[in-house]
Amino acid sequence: MSLRIPILTLLLMMLASSLHAASEEVRPETAVLLESALETAPVEIDGQLLFRVRGVSSFPAQQRADAIRERIEKVAAEPSYPSERLSAEVVGNVTMIMAGQATLMIVSEADAQLEHTSRDHLAALHLSRIRQAIDEYRRSRTSDALVKAGLYGGGATVILALGIAVLLVLNRWLDKVLSRLLKNRVHAVGIQSFQILRSETILKAFHGLMLLIGVATIVVSAYAYLHYVLALFPWTRSISNDLFDLAAGAFEHMGKSVGASIPDILVLLIIYYVCRFVLRLTRHFFDAVEQKRVTFTQFEPEWALPTYRLVRVLIFAFALIVAYPYIPGSESAAFKGISIFIGLVFSLGSSAAISNLIAGYLMTYRRVFKVGDRVKVGDVTGDVIAIRLQVTHLRTIKNEEVTIPNSQILNGNVTNFSSMAVTPGLILHTTVGIGYETPWRQVEAMLRMAAKRTMGIVGDPQPFILLTALGDFAITYELNGYIHDPHAIAQIHAELHRHILDVFNEYGVQIMTPAYESDPSEPKVVRQEQWYSAPASSGQRTEAETANDGASPPALADQQPAGWRAR
């Protein structure tokens, strides 16, 4: 075999000399940095790594590695040339590994510095690895080796087919057995009569999980089969190594990611349990405040629950702020983008909800009203049946439920009929118009008598009368009486009006109509014998009427007012 030194060999020698000369002029610390930054490439034969080589800008490392590999394979493809005849010759500042007259590669001082060893030692190591690679290259391509590899490959194929068949049968058998065991034990998940997950859905999910496990097992078996069979033949051994490196790289990356996340996960667990402990302690404290076992001045017990809810939100917010940097993936652009999007949607779509929420807490601490109070909000009058963070529910006197946003309540006027009803009492009032010819003392006495007959109007403090207007045709009297039951305002009002009509009819005093035309021939009053005209009956008399039976009218009853007639 005649091998000649190519022109490329001379170029490599010149490059090696220049690299050696340049390395001698560079300071040691600078040389270390340059060597760590240099690109290297592997020299592989049939998927087996021999060594790595460096390159220069005019002859990159990958091109140099490919050239060395091609020359080694060319020598290995000549069975007549024994590997023992390979030699290492020193030429100037480099060592050349020769195959007869052909140069396989050049080892320079720069290559030795990259491996942190001497040039002669590195050349000897490379020479030994090249000889082993040539022998293995020839041995793996013999007829016996290829037949053996084919038999092993065929056996692996049979084992894979049998394994897949067994896995399929075993998967079906396990699916049937476990389905029978779980069929009577799996129940639907729901809230009362509403089913969130039906039992059939849970069983289908279980079947899908078993199928997924079977498919994953077959995929792993096929991967192991390909890795083994491809490694049997020299031409596909590099593909087998690539498959292994791909899987190993994926598992290595996953392992590093999980390992790097373990400290953050431990910190998150600590934050979780600390937050849980603080919440429990806070709940016990406010429960004690609500039950009056712990008291504070100027702090009402009914404020305990809403205050706890507010403090709980603050604790959650603080815990989230502390835990955010430790959440895996929190530094990624996708996580930040989703966080910004959620914050934007929350800020744009929840302005009204937040205003109602803040208004709910402000109403609680301002003691505007409480559950059970009779209030008037705008045009709605009713009893407070529920106070939520967002809205307040009222039940009107017509038994209608009205929902009012808390922000509307906070920004409007609220009349609370219950806050002052017990002490000193809620003042119930009504007005009547009486002619000028009737003495005002008589009118006030009759109004007090009507108030006294009315159940629900207390005697202490005493009712009082105000003259609110001296009109064109009548004097306007306002009767004011104290009550303690704000929920009976309508009933007390109605009963008071009935007694006013009765008292004024008893004493023949006419209540003025809205307009005056002329004096009527008779006063516009209802005589007592006509009070129970059909279909009314005396059985409908009130307790106050029964108590007044037999009472004689005062002397002022003899004074009859002048006549009036309605338009």
Side-chain angles (χ1 to χ4, degrees), residues 356-389:
N356 289 328
L357 184 67
I358 296 174
Y361 277 105
L362 292 177
M363 286 165 44
T364 299
Y365 294 110
R366 289 183 180 182
R367 291 186 287 188
V368 178
F369 47 70
K370 62 181 182 295
V371 175
D373 285 355
R374 170 66 62 85
V375 297
K376 180 179 181 182
V377 180
D379 298 331
V380 180
T381 301
D383 300 328
V384 180
I385 58 176
I387 302 175
R388 311 295 184 190
L389 291 179

PDB file of all heavy atoms in Angstrom, residues 356-389:
ATOM      1  N   ASN A 356     -67.763  47.568  45.921  1.00  0.00           N
ATOM      2  CA  ASN A 356     -68.800  47.000  46.787  1.00  0.00           C
ATOM      3  C   ASN A 356     -68.186  46.303  48.000  1.00  0.00           C
ATOM      4  O   ASN A 356     -68.731  46.358  49.110  1.00  0.00           O
ATOM      5  CB  ASN A 356     -69.665  46.009  46.004  1.00  0.00           C
ATOM      6  CG  ASN A 356     -70.563  46.695  45.000  1.00  0.00           C
ATOM      7  OD1 ASN A 356     -71.009  47.809  45.217  1.00  0.00           O
ATOM      8  ND2 ASN A 356     -70.819  46.032  43.885  1.00  0.00           N
ATOM      9  N   LEU A 357     -67.043  45.633  47.780  1.00  0.00           N
ATOM     10  CA  LEU A 357     -66.373  44.943  48.884  1.00  0.00           C
ATOM     11  C   LEU A 357     -65.896  45.938  49.939  1.00  0.00           C
ATOM     12  O   LEU A 357     -66.116  45.756  51.144  1.00  0.00           O
ATOM     13  CB  LEU A 357     -65.199  44.134  48.334  1.00  0.00           C
ATOM     14  CG  LEU A 357     -64.433  43.269  49.322  1.00  0.00           C
ATOM     15  CD1 LEU A 357     -65.308  42.136  49.819  1.00  0.00           C
ATOM     16  CD2 LEU A 357     -63.173  42.713  48.677  1.00  0.00           C
ATOM     17  N   ILE A 358     -65.251  47.010  49.490  1.00  0.00           N
ATOM     18  CA  ILE A 358     -64.783  48.032  50.430  1.00  0.00           C
ATOM     19  C   ILE A 358     -65.962  48.691  51.130  1.00  0.00           C
ATOM     20  O   ILE A 358     -65.935  48.953  52.339  1.00  0.00           O
ATOM     21  CB  ILE A 358     -63.923  49.068  49.686  1.00  0.00           C
ATOM     22  CG1 ILE A 358     -62.653  48.398  49.132  1.00  0.00           C
ATOM     23  CG2 ILE A 358     -63.549  50.230  50.602  1.00  0.00           C
ATOM     24  CD1 ILE A 358     -61.819  49.302  48.268  1.00  0.00           C
ATOM     25  N   ALA A 359     -67.031  48.944  50.374  1.00  0.00           N
ATOM     26  CA  ALA A 359     -68.222  49.549  50.982  1.00  0.00           C
ATOM     27  C   ALA A 359     -68.821  48.632  52.042  1.00  0.00           C
ATOM     28  O   ALA A 359     -69.308  49.096  53.087  1.00  0.00           O
ATOM     29  CB  ALA A 359     -69.254  49.854  49.903  1.00  0.00           C
ATOM     30  N   GLY A 360     -68.797  47.314  51.800  1.00  0.00           N
ATOM     31  CA  GLY A 360     -69.321  46.382  52.792  1.00  0.00           C
ATOM     32  C   GLY A 360     -68.572  46.455  54.106  1.00  0.00           C
ATOM     33  O   GLY A 360     -69.179  46.453  55.191  1.00  0.00           O
ATOM     34  N   TYR A 361     -67.233  46.530  54.026  1.00  0.00           N
ATOM     35  CA  TYR A 361     -66.454  46.639  55.265  1.00  0.00           C
ATOM     36  C   TYR A 361     -66.659  47.997  55.936  1.00  0.00           C
ATOM     37  O   TYR A 361     -66.754  48.091  57.162  1.00  0.00           O
ATOM     38  CB  TYR A 361     -64.971  46.422  54.968  1.00  0.00           C
ATOM     39  CG  TYR A 361     -64.600  44.961  54.900  1.00  0.00           C
ATOM     40  CD1 TYR A 361     -64.349  44.341  53.685  1.00  0.00           C
ATOM     41  CD2 TYR A 361     -64.504  44.200  56.061  1.00  0.00           C
ATOM     42  CE1 TYR A 361     -64.005  42.998  53.630  1.00  0.00           C
ATOM     43  CE2 TYR A 361     -64.175  42.861  56.011  1.00  0.00           C
ATOM     44  CZ  TYR A 361     -63.922  42.263  54.799  1.00  0.00           C
ATOM     45  OH  TYR A 361     -63.598  40.936  54.749  1.00  0.00           O
ATOM     46  N   LEU A 362     -66.734  49.069  55.147  1.00  0.00           N
ATOM     47  CA  LEU A 362     -66.967  50.385  55.742  1.00  0.00           C
ATOM     48  C   LEU A 362     -68.319  50.446  56.434  1.00  0.00           C
ATOM     49  O   LEU A 362     -68.460  51.037  57.515  1.00  0.00           O
ATOM     50  CB  LEU A 362     -66.870  51.465  54.658  1.00  0.00           C
ATOM     51  CG  LEU A 362     -65.475  51.710  54.060  1.00  0.00           C
ATOM     52  CD1 LEU A 362     -65.555  52.755  52.963  1.00  0.00           C
ATOM     53  CD2 LEU A 362     -64.500  52.161  55.147  1.00  0.00           C
ATOM     54  N   MET A 363     -69.336  49.837  55.846  1.00  0.00           N
ATOM     55  CA  MET A 363     -70.654  49.807  56.481  1.00  0.00           C
ATOM     56  C   MET A 363     -70.608  49.046  57.796  1.00  0.00           C
ATOM     57  O   MET A 363     -71.264  49.416  58.774  1.00  0.00           O
ATOM     58  CB  MET A 363     -71.672  49.153  55.540  1.00  0.00           C
ATOM     59  CG  MET A 363     -72.096  50.028  54.372  1.00  0.00           C
ATOM     60  SD  MET A 363     -72.938  49.082  53.090  1.00  0.00           S
ATOM     61  CE  MET A 363     -74.019  48.068  54.059  1.00  0.00           C
ATOM     62  N   THR A 364     -69.813  47.965  57.829  1.00  0.00           N
ATOM     63  CA  THR A 364     -69.726  47.178  59.064  1.00  0.00           C
ATOM     64  C   THR A 364     -69.140  48.004  60.197  1.00  0.00           C
ATOM     65  O   THR A 364     -69.663  48.020  61.311  1.00  0.00           O
ATOM     66  CB  THR A 364     -68.871  45.933  58.812  1.00  0.00           C
ATOM     67  OG1 THR A 364     -69.483  45.133  57.786  1.00  0.00           O
ATOM     68  CG2 THR A 364     -68.749  45.099  60.085  1.00  0.00           C
ATOM     69  N   TYR A 365     -68.025  48.689  59.899  1.00  0.00           N
ATOM     70  CA  TYR A 365     -67.354  49.439  60.961  1.00  0.00           C
ATOM     71  C   TYR A 365     -68.044  50.768  61.268  1.00  0.00           C
ATOM     72  O   TYR A 365     -67.843  51.328  62.339  1.00  0.00           O
ATOM     73  CB  TYR A 365     -65.898  49.679  60.586  1.00  0.00           C
ATOM     74  CG  TYR A 365     -65.100  48.407  60.524  1.00  0.00           C
ATOM     75  CD1 TYR A 365     -64.646  47.903  59.311  1.00  0.00           C
ATOM     76  CD2 TYR A 365     -64.833  47.683  61.681  1.00  0.00           C
ATOM     77  CE1 TYR A 365     -63.928  46.720  59.246  1.00  0.00           C
ATOM     78  CE2 TYR A 365     -64.120  46.496  61.627  1.00  0.00           C
ATOM     79  CZ  TYR A 365     -63.665  46.018  60.412  1.00  0.00           C
ATOM     80  OH  TYR A 365     -62.969  44.848  60.370  1.00  0.00           O
ATOM     81  N   ARG A 366     -68.828  51.292  60.357  1.00  0.00           N
ATOM     82  CA  ARG A 366     -69.592  52.510  60.644  1.00  0.00           C
ATOM     83  C   ARG A 366     -70.911  52.227  61.359  1.00  0.00           C
ATOM     84  O   ARG A 366     -71.601  53.152  61.752  1.00  0.00           O
ATOM     85  CB  ARG A 366     -69.887  53.254  59.333  1.00  0.00           C
ATOM     86  CG  ARG A 366     -68.655  53.904  58.714  1.00  0.00           C
ATOM     87  CD  ARG A 366     -69.033  54.685  57.479  1.00  0.00           C
ATOM     88  NE  ARG A 366     -67.868  55.327  56.864  1.00  0.00           N
ATOM     89  CZ  ARG A 366     -67.936  56.101  55.784  1.00  0.00           C
ATOM     90  NH1 ARG A 366     -69.105  56.328  55.208  1.00  0.00           N
ATOM     91  NH2 ARG A 366     -66.854  56.639  55.286  1.00  0.00           N
ATOM     92  N   ARG A 367     -71.240  50.956  61.498  1.00  0.00           N
ATOM     93  CA  ARG A 367     -72.468  50.544  62.182  1.00  0.00           C
ATOM     94  C   ARG A 367     -73.697  51.213  61.560  1.00  0.00           C
ATOM     95  O   ARG A 367     -74.520  51.818  62.250  1.00  0.00           O
ATOM     96  CB  ARG A 367     -72.377  50.838  63.674  1.00  0.00           C
ATOM     97  CG  ARG A 367     -71.376  49.957  64.382  1.00  0.00           C
ATOM     98  CD  ARG A 367     -71.389  50.161  65.877  1.00  0.00           C
ATOM     99  NE  ARG A 367     -70.789  51.421  66.259  1.00  0.00           N
ATOM    100  CZ  ARG A 367     -70.543  51.784  67.510  1.00  0.00           C
ATOM    101  NH1 ARG A 367     -70.855  50.964  68.493  1.00  0.00           N
ATOM    102  NH2 ARG A 367     -70.003  52.944  67.789  1.00  0.00           N
ATOM    103  N   VAL A 368     -73.776  51.156  60.237  1.00  0.00           N
ATOM    104  CA  VAL A 368     -74.932  51.735  59.549  1.00  0.00           C
ATOM    105  C   VAL A 368     -76.206  51.006  59.954  1.00  0.00           C
ATOM    106  O   VAL A 368     -77.219  51.629  60.278  1.00  0.00           O
ATOM    107  CB  VAL A 368     -74.722  51.684  58.023  1.00  0.00           C
ATOM    108  CG1 VAL A 368     -75.926  52.234  57.291  1.00  0.00           C
ATOM    109  CG2 VAL A 368     -73.468  52.463  57.639  1.00  0.00           C
ATOM    110  N   PHE A 369     -76.186  49.685  59.939  1.00  0.00           N
ATOM    111  CA  PHE A 369     -77.310  48.867  60.384  1.00  0.00           C
ATOM    112  C   PHE A 369     -76.796  47.464  60.628  1.00  0.00           C
ATOM    113  O   PHE A 369     -75.640  47.148  60.315  1.00  0.00           O
ATOM    114  CB  PHE A 369     -78.459  48.860  59.369  1.00  0.00           C
ATOM    115  CG  PHE A 369     -78.027  48.633  57.949  1.00  0.00           C
ATOM    116  CD1 PHE A 369     -77.544  47.408  57.522  1.00  0.00           C
ATOM    117  CD2 PHE A 369     -78.094  49.667  57.017  1.00  0.00           C
ATOM    118  CE1 PHE A 369     -77.138  47.198  56.225  1.00  0.00           C
ATOM    119  CE2 PHE A 369     -77.685  49.464  55.708  1.00  0.00           C
ATOM    120  CZ  PHE A 369     -77.204  48.233  55.315  1.00  0.00           C
ATOM    121  N   LYS A 370     -77.652  46.638  61.155  1.00  0.00           N
ATOM    122  CA  LYS A 370     -77.331  45.228  61.379  1.00  0.00           C
ATOM    123  C   LYS A 370     -78.522  44.387  60.936  1.00  0.00           C
ATOM    124  O   LYS A 370     -79.596  44.913  60.623  1.00  0.00           O
ATOM    125  CB  LYS A 370     -76.994  44.965  62.841  1.00  0.00           C
ATOM    126  CG  LYS A 370     -78.113  45.252  63.828  1.00  0.00           C
ATOM    127  CD  LYS A 370     -77.648  44.980  65.251  1.00  0.00           C
ATOM    128  CE  LYS A 370     -78.770  45.202  66.254  1.00  0.00           C
ATOM    129  NZ  LYS A 370     -79.205  46.617  66.298  1.00  0.00           N
ATOM    130  N   VAL A 371     -78.295  43.081  60.907  1.00  0.00           N
ATOM    131  CA  VAL A 371     -79.361  42.173  60.477  1.00  0.00           C
ATOM    132  C   VAL A 371     -80.545  42.292  61.432  1.00  0.00           C
ATOM    133  O   VAL A 371     -80.393  42.262  62.653  1.00  0.00           O
ATOM    134  CB  VAL A 371     -78.846  40.725  60.441  1.00  0.00           C
ATOM    135  CG1 VAL A 371     -79.982  39.756  60.106  1.00  0.00           C
ATOM    136  CG2 VAL A 371     -77.733  40.590  59.405  1.00  0.00           C
ATOM    137  N   GLY A 372     -81.732  42.443  60.866  1.00  0.00           N
ATOM    138  CA  GLY A 372     -82.954  42.584  61.646  1.00  0.00           C
ATOM    139  C   GLY A 372     -83.455  44.010  61.754  1.00  0.00           C
ATOM    140  O   GLY A 372     -84.605  44.229  62.162  1.00  0.00           O
ATOM    141  N   ASP A 373     -82.631  45.005  61.396  1.00  0.00           N
ATOM    142  CA  ASP A 373     -83.058  46.399  61.487  1.00  0.00           C
ATOM    143  C   ASP A 373     -84.056  46.734  60.386  1.00  0.00           C
ATOM    144  O   ASP A 373     -83.981  46.192  59.269  1.00  0.00           O
ATOM    145  CB  ASP A 373     -81.851  47.335  61.377  1.00  0.00           C
ATOM    146  CG  ASP A 373     -81.021  47.352  62.652  1.00  0.00           C
ATOM    147  OD1 ASP A 373     -81.437  46.710  63.629  1.00  0.00           O
ATOM    148  OD2 ASP A 373     -79.953  47.992  62.659  1.00  0.00           O
ATOM    149  N   ARG A 374     -84.993  47.629  60.708  1.00  0.00           N
ATOM    150  CA  ARG A 374     -85.895  48.181  59.701  1.00  0.00           C
ATOM    151  C   ARG A 374     -85.248  49.464  59.169  1.00  0.00           C
ATOM    152  O   ARG A 374     -84.990  50.402  59.929  1.00  0.00           O
ATOM    153  CB  ARG A 374     -87.256  48.477  60.314  1.00  0.00           C
ATOM    154  CG  ARG A 374     -88.229  49.277  59.436  1.00  0.00           C
ATOM    155  CD  ARG A 374     -88.645  48.501  58.199  1.00  0.00           C
ATOM    156  NE  ARG A 374     -89.348  47.276  58.489  1.00  0.00           N
ATOM    157  CZ  ARG A 374     -90.657  47.198  58.718  1.00  0.00           C
ATOM    158  NH1 ARG A 374     -91.407  48.277  58.687  1.00  0.00           N
ATOM    159  NH2 ARG A 374     -91.223  46.040  58.959  1.00  0.00           N
ATOM    160  N   VAL A 375     -84.950  49.493  57.851  1.00  0.00           N
ATOM    161  CA  VAL A 375     -84.225  50.614  57.260  1.00  0.00           C
ATOM    162  C   VAL A 375     -84.940  51.065  55.995  1.00  0.00           C
ATOM    163  O   VAL A 375     -85.796  50.352  55.449  1.00  0.00           O
ATOM    164  CB  VAL A 375     -82.762  50.232  56.922  1.00  0.00           C
ATOM    165  CG1 VAL A 375     -81.981  49.875  58.167  1.00  0.00           C
ATOM    166  CG2 VAL A 375     -82.719  49.091  55.901  1.00  0.00           C
ATOM    167  N   LYS A 376     -84.530  52.240  55.536  1.00  0.00           N
ATOM    168  CA  LYS A 376     -84.992  52.773  54.263  1.00  0.00           C
ATOM    169  C   LYS A 376     -83.778  53.201  53.464  1.00  0.00           C
ATOM    170  O   LYS A 376     -83.013  54.064  53.894  1.00  0.00           O
ATOM    171  CB  LYS A 376     -85.935  53.958  54.468  1.00  0.00           C
ATOM    172  CG  LYS A 376     -86.455  54.548  53.166  1.00  0.00           C
ATOM    173  CD  LYS A 376     -87.398  55.712  53.421  1.00  0.00           C
ATOM    174  CE  LYS A 376     -87.929  56.282  52.102  1.00  0.00           C
ATOM    175  NZ  LYS A 376     -88.818  57.448  52.336  1.00  0.00           N
ATOM    176  N   VAL A 377     -83.568  52.569  52.313  1.00  0.00           N
ATOM    177  CA  VAL A 377     -82.451  52.878  51.423  1.00  0.00           C
ATOM    178  C   VAL A 377     -83.040  53.375  50.113  1.00  0.00           C
ATOM    179  O   VAL A 377     -83.634  52.600  49.352  1.00  0.00           O
ATOM    180  CB  VAL A 377     -81.566  51.634  51.185  1.00  0.00           C
ATOM    181  CG1 VAL A 377     -80.408  51.998  50.257  1.00  0.00           C
ATOM    182  CG2 VAL A 377     -81.051  51.084  52.496  1.00  0.00           C
ATOM    183  N   GLY A 378     -82.886  54.664  49.854  1.00  0.00           N
ATOM    184  CA  GLY A 378     -83.502  55.234  48.667  1.00  0.00           C
ATOM    185  C   GLY A 378     -85.004  55.182  48.790  1.00  0.00           C
ATOM    186  O   GLY A 378     -85.600  55.746  49.709  1.00  0.00           O
ATOM    187  N   ASP A 379     -85.640  54.481  47.843  1.00  0.00           N
ATOM    188  CA  ASP A 379     -87.096  54.327  47.865  1.00  0.00           C
ATOM    189  C   ASP A 379     -87.534  52.999  48.451  1.00  0.00           C
ATOM    190  O   ASP A 379     -88.724  52.673  48.425  1.00  0.00           O
ATOM    191  CB  ASP A 379     -87.655  54.457  46.443  1.00  0.00           C
ATOM    192  CG  ASP A 379     -87.388  55.833  45.847  1.00  0.00           C
ATOM    193  OD1 ASP A 379     -87.305  56.790  46.639  1.00  0.00           O
ATOM    194  OD2 ASP A 379     -87.268  55.931  44.609  1.00  0.00           O
ATOM    195  N   VAL A 380     -86.577  52.197  48.948  1.00  0.00           N
ATOM    196  CA  VAL A 380     -86.888  50.858  49.433  1.00  0.00           C
ATOM    197  C   VAL A 380     -86.882  50.874  50.955  1.00  0.00           C
ATOM    198  O   VAL A 380     -85.914  51.306  51.589  1.00  0.00           O
ATOM    199  CB  VAL A 380     -85.866  49.830  48.905  1.00  0.00           C
ATOM    200  CG1 VAL A 380     -86.202  48.434  49.424  1.00  0.00           C
ATOM    201  CG2 VAL A 380     -85.845  49.840  47.390  1.00  0.00           C
ATOM    202  N   THR A 381     -87.981  50.399  51.550  1.00  0.00           N
ATOM    203  CA  THR A 381     -88.091  50.268  52.998  1.00  0.00           C
ATOM    204  C   THR A 381     -88.314  48.799  53.333  1.00  0.00           C
ATOM    205  O   THR A 381     -89.196  48.151  52.757  1.00  0.00           O
ATOM    206  CB  THR A 381     -89.255  51.107  53.545  1.00  0.00           C
ATOM    207  OG1 THR A 381     -89.054  52.482  53.212  1.00  0.00           O
ATOM    208  CG2 THR A 381     -89.345  50.971  55.062  1.00  0.00           C
ATOM    209  N   GLY A 382     -87.525  48.284  54.247  1.00  0.00           N
ATOM    210  CA  GLY A 382     -87.678  46.881  54.609  1.00  0.00           C
ATOM    211  C   GLY A 382     -86.735  46.499  55.734  1.00  0.00           C
ATOM    212  O   GLY A 382     -86.032  47.330  56.307  1.00  0.00           O
ATOM    213  N   ASP A 383     -86.749  45.194  56.057  1.00  0.00           N
ATOM    214  CA  ASP A 383     -85.918  44.648  57.126  1.00  0.00           C
ATOM    215  C   ASP A 383     -84.650  44.043  56.520  1.00  0.00           C
ATOM    216  O   ASP A 383     -84.703  43.375  55.468  1.00  0.00           O
ATOM    217  CB  ASP A 383     -86.674  43.565  57.894  1.00  0.00           C
ATOM    218  CG  ASP A 383     -87.946  44.115  58.534  1.00  0.00           C
ATOM    219  OD1 ASP A 383     -87.934  45.302  58.909  1.00  0.00           O
ATOM    220  OD2 ASP A 383     -88.933  43.368  58.643  1.00  0.00           O
ATOM    221  N   VAL A 384     -83.513  44.245  57.192  1.00  0.00           N
ATOM    222  CA  VAL A 384     -82.236  43.694  56.740  1.00  0.00           C
ATOM    223  C   VAL A 384     -82.216  42.211  57.091  1.00  0.00           C
ATOM    224  O   VAL A 384     -82.304  41.846  58.276  1.00  0.00           O
ATOM    225  CB  VAL A 384     -81.048  44.419  57.399  1.00  0.00           C
ATOM    226  CG1 VAL A 384     -79.734  43.823  56.921  1.00  0.00           C
ATOM    227  CG2 VAL A 384     -81.105  45.908  57.098  1.00  0.00           C
ATOM    228  N   ILE A 385     -82.106  41.355  56.063  1.00  0.00           N
ATOM    229  CA  ILE A 385     -82.085  39.907  56.314  1.00  0.00           C
ATOM    230  C   ILE A 385     -80.693  39.312  56.101  1.00  0.00           C
ATOM    231  O   ILE A 385     -80.420  38.218  56.600  1.00  0.00           O
ATOM    232  CB  ILE A 385     -83.112  39.184  55.417  1.00  0.00           C
ATOM    233  CG1 ILE A 385     -82.832  39.447  53.938  1.00  0.00           C
ATOM    234  CG2 ILE A 385     -84.515  39.606  55.782  1.00  0.00           C
ATOM    235  CD1 ILE A 385     -83.757  38.679  53.003  1.00  0.00           C
ATOM    236  N   ALA A 386     -79.800  39.988  55.379  1.00  0.00           N
ATOM    237  CA  ALA A 386     -78.435  39.483  55.169  1.00  0.00           C
ATOM    238  C   ALA A 386     -77.547  40.630  54.713  1.00  0.00           C
ATOM    239  O   ALA A 386     -77.963  41.464  53.908  1.00  0.00           O
ATOM    240  CB  ALA A 386     -78.413  38.350  54.145  1.00  0.00           C
ATOM    241  N   ILE A 387     -76.327  40.641  55.259  1.00  0.00           N
ATOM    242  CA  ILE A 387     -75.318  41.633  54.858  1.00  0.00           C
ATOM    243  C   ILE A 387     -74.125  40.865  54.302  1.00  0.00           C
ATOM    244  O   ILE A 387     -73.408  40.183  55.037  1.00  0.00           O
ATOM    245  CB  ILE A 387     -74.886  42.517  56.042  1.00  0.00           C
ATOM    246  CG1 ILE A 387     -76.097  43.232  56.654  1.00  0.00           C
ATOM    247  CG2 ILE A 387     -73.848  43.537  55.587  1.00  0.00           C
ATOM    248  CD1 ILE A 387     -75.755  44.023  57.902  1.00  0.00           C
ATOM    249  N   ARG A 388     -73.934  40.943  52.980  1.00  0.00           N
ATOM    250  CA  ARG A 388     -72.803  40.279  52.329  1.00  0.00           C
ATOM    251  C   ARG A 388     -71.703  41.292  52.072  1.00  0.00           C
ATOM    252  O   ARG A 388     -71.885  42.502  52.261  1.00  0.00           O
ATOM    253  CB  ARG A 388     -73.238  39.635  51.000  1.00  0.00           C
ATOM    254  CG  ARG A 388     -74.490  38.782  51.099  1.00  0.00           C
ATOM    255  CD  ARG A 388     -74.286  37.572  51.956  1.00  0.00           C
ATOM    256  NE  ARG A 388     -75.459  36.705  51.964  1.00  0.00           N
ATOM    257  CZ  ARG A 388     -75.610  35.670  52.780  1.00  0.00           C
ATOM    258  NH1 ARG A 388     -74.663  35.383  53.666  1.00  0.00           N
ATOM    259  NH2 ARG A 388     -76.709  34.942  52.724  1.00  0.00           N
ATOM    260  N   LEU A 389     -70.536  40.773  51.615  1.00  0.00           N
ATOM    261  CA  LEU A 389     -69.435  41.677  51.303  1.00  0.00           C
ATOM    262  C   LEU A 389     -69.718  42.513  50.062  1.00  0.00           C
ATOM    263  O   LEU A 389     -69.186  43.612  49.916  1.00  0.00           O
ATOM    264  CB  LEU A 389     -68.146  40.877  51.097  1.00  0.00           C
ATOM    265  CG  LEU A 389     -67.565  40.217  52.355  1.00  0.00           C
ATOM    266  CD1 LEU A 389     -66.313  39.435  52.010  1.00  0.00           C
ATOM    267  CD2 LEU A 389     -67.274  41.253  53.416  1.00  0.00           C
TER     268      LEU A 389
END
